[in-house]
Amino acid sequence: MAQIAKIEAKAEIKCSPAKVYDFFKNKMTQFPNIYPQVYKKVELLEGEEGQAGNIIHFEYVIGNETMAAKMKTEAINEGEKSITFRAFEGEIMQIYTTFVAKVTVADGYVTWSIEYEKANDSAPIPDNYTTLAAKVTKGLDAYLLSQI
């Protein structure tokens, strides 16, 4: 039986942590407008943006592959400025039986942590996801700075 493992990545930000956190919490459906080369579609299927329990459908490009995932916003922690998402449907579930991504925004950086369990021994460590998350975070930071 596979075990749950965890990887992390940090991305430096220059924008105010409040703006970055607000985007991740309330405006994720805007990602295709900001980063169309990665996000093909981000759609709120259930609930309200900014609320735990909502369901978001992502279509995205990772590597050279377009994939889709449905994610549930499991937790929003205002005190630590963190949001936890759990994948429950889509191609990602063929690779990982557990995939939980947590974004935490702090002064000067954003930390992405992914807890995962491989569906089989040939499944890769999802470092391509943490690399992509850090890259998208830097792009978001530049976008938010340009909006001032």
Side-chain angles (χ1 to χ4, degrees):
M1 184 171 164
Q3 291 184 348
I4 293 179
K6 184 177 177 178
I7 58 173
E8 285 190 353
K10 283 189 179 184
E12 186 178 312
I13 57 170
K14 295 180 179 138
C15 194
S16 95
K19 280 188 178 187
V20 175
Y21 177 69
D22 179 67
F23 189 93
F24 283 124
K25 182 180 171 192
N26 298 306
K27 301 174 184 162
M28 290 195 58
T29 55
Q30 294 180 23
F31 262 129
N33 300 328
I34 298 167
Y35 238 108
Q37 62 273 42
V38 173
Y39 293 100
K40 301 306 175 190
K41 182 185 217 179
V42 178
E43 180 181 22
L44 182 66
L45 299 178
E46 288 181 30
E48 296 178 33
E49 280 192 289
Q51 299 296 314
N54 68 21
I55 306 291
I56 304 170
H57 172 77
F58 292 87
E59 287 181 19
Y60 57 97
V61 176
I62 190 143
N64 293 322
E65 221 176 315
T66 299
M67 296 183 72
K70 284 186 183 174
M71 308 277 285
K72 180 177 184 175
T73 303
E74 274 200 337
I76 297 174
N77 184 321
E78 297 288 342
E80 72 174 25
K81 288 189 175 61
S82 70
I83 305 167
T84 305
F85 304 95
R86 177 180 294 273
F88 67 92
E89 191 176 296
E91 290 95 344
I92 195 168
M93 300 310 298
Q94 296 169 10
I95 305 167
Y96 308 103
T97 55
T98 300
F99 191 93
V100 179
K102 181 178 180 181
V103 58
T104 305
V105 182
D107 194 19
Y109 63 93
V110 171
T111 303
W112 284 92
S113 61
I114 296 176
E115 290 184 4
Y116 65 95
E117 184 175 11
K118 296 177 177 184
N120 57 58
D121 290 338
S122 65
I125 293 170
D127 54 357
N128 54 345
Y129 281 90
T130 53
T131 300
L132 182 63
K135 180 180 175 182
V136 167
T137 299
K138 289 178 184 185
L140 173 62
D141 185 49
Y143 169 79
L144 293 173
L145 286 170
S146 75
Q147 300 300 301
I148 296 173

